[in-house]
Amino acid sequence: MKLKGIQKIIGGTVSAMMIAASIPAVASAADQQDRGNIGGYDYEMWNQNGQGQVSMNPGAGSFTCSWSNIENFLARMGKNYDSQKQNYKQIGNIVLTYDVEYTPRGNSYMCVYGWTRNPLVEYYIVEGWGDWRPPGNDGENKGTVSLNGNTYDIRKSMRYNQPSLDGTATFPQYWSVRQTSGSANNQTNYMKGTIDVSKHFDAWSQAGLDMSGTLYEVSLNIEGYRSNGQANVKSVTVSTDGSGGGASSNDWNQGQEQNNDWNNWNNGQQNNDWNNWNNGQQNNDWNNWNNGQ
């Protein structure tokens, strides 16, 4: 099932999309949407067709959210850079830190999310998921990168004639997905970490993915598809001077991974590998996530 790329984008500076810029082409009249800026952070809650029960309570660099019986739901918070019209390298050394209590019950994930323009690209850095590891079997393998104590698989997938930041378009999606999820399904996961976002972008560039476009946003995103769940984002920060700190490695294709996964630090949880995560999972594909967007 492809977690829909969320074509809703943070537009706090502009009008405020948390990752959800106000893209009229994205949300239908029936969609439930709430956007704003608080304490310098852009946020958005989006609920497809207004289905089920949802909530998002934003603070300055924090929010809580919950969802049940939904089609597709997202809550996100971060920084919008659209007005700067600059490439990520011009903006600075972008680092996002998070401290989250995340409870997925079904198909859901927690990630860093955003877009670039010229070229139009949608991107994800996935830290944890519920019962389905995105993007499934979709797309091309582009290698791995080890950063902040975790190893990520890099993938590229394509969206054809789908809603986007700039209306209906064909565009690529770039992914960094942790080889070992920082979360488990049907339990509260205490997740805390640092993501050197610019170094993921560097790795994608080295893998042949085009990151020359102007950066639209960098946000922490909680998303659910036909599932239930909740999250308490106790803090999220986005800096452009590298002050989030703590990159353990930025070597391309480095295979070594430090054993400092947050769940190991806090709960002694087992490192469930990809095969364990997917045993018995439904063959939900990416297009299902985007249907109706």
Side-chain angles (χ1 to χ4, degrees), residues 53-218:
Q53 296 79 44
V54 301
S55 70
M56 180 182 186
N57 299 303
S62 66
F63 66 92
T64 60
C65 65
S66 64
W67 65 98
S68 63
N69 303 315
I70 48 84
E71 177 67 15
N72 198 0
F73 165 82
L74 73 84
R76 56 199 178 198
M77 175 172 283
K79 292 284 188 176
N80 184 291
Y81 299 106
D82 191 41
S83 63
Q84 298 185 32
K85 307 301 180 188
Q86 292 181 318
N87 177 271
Y88 78 92
K89 291 184 177 180
Q90 296 172 301
I91 290 173
N93 182 12
I94 305 167
V95 175
L96 182 146
T97 64
Y98 63 86
D99 186 353
V100 179
E101 296 175 0
Y102 171 52
T103 310
R105 298 186 181 94
N107 200 329
S108 170
Y109 59 59
M110 189 193 88
C111 63
V112 176
Y113 174 87
W115 293 83
T116 69
R117 279 182 163 138
N118 302 312
L120 184 66
V121 172
E122 185 178 38
Y123 74 82
Y124 301 82
I125 302 169
V126 181
E127 292 292 283
W129 55 88
D131 66 5
W132 182 79
R133 184 187 191 246
N137 296 321
D138 193 42
E140 311 168 53
N141 290 317
K142 292 293 184 178
T144 62
V145 63
S146 293
L147 286 166
N148 307 108
N150 296 296
T151 297
Y152 298 76
D153 292 324
I154 298 173
R155 296 182 69 88
K156 175 186 176 182
S157 55
M158 290 297 301
R159 304 302 302 140
Y160 296 96
N161 299 317
Q162 295 294 323
S164 79
L165 179 64
D166 295 321
T168 301
T170 294
F171 54 91
Q173 295 168 321
Y174 300 163
W175 299 82
S176 284
V177 184
R178 278 177 52 163
Q179 291 184 344
T180 300
S181 177
S183 62
N185 198 35
N186 292 319
Q187 69 179 53
T188 297
N189 303 276
Y190 300 91
M191 304 172 67
K192 186 175 183 179
T194 296
I195 301 176
D196 285 294
V197 178
S198 290
K199 292 178 181 178
H200 281 274
F201 295 167
D202 288 342
W204 296 347
S205 294
Q206 293 179 51
L209 305 181
D210 189 350
M211 285 299 297
S212 64
T214 59
L215 184 62
Y216 184 82
E217 67 190 315
V218 175

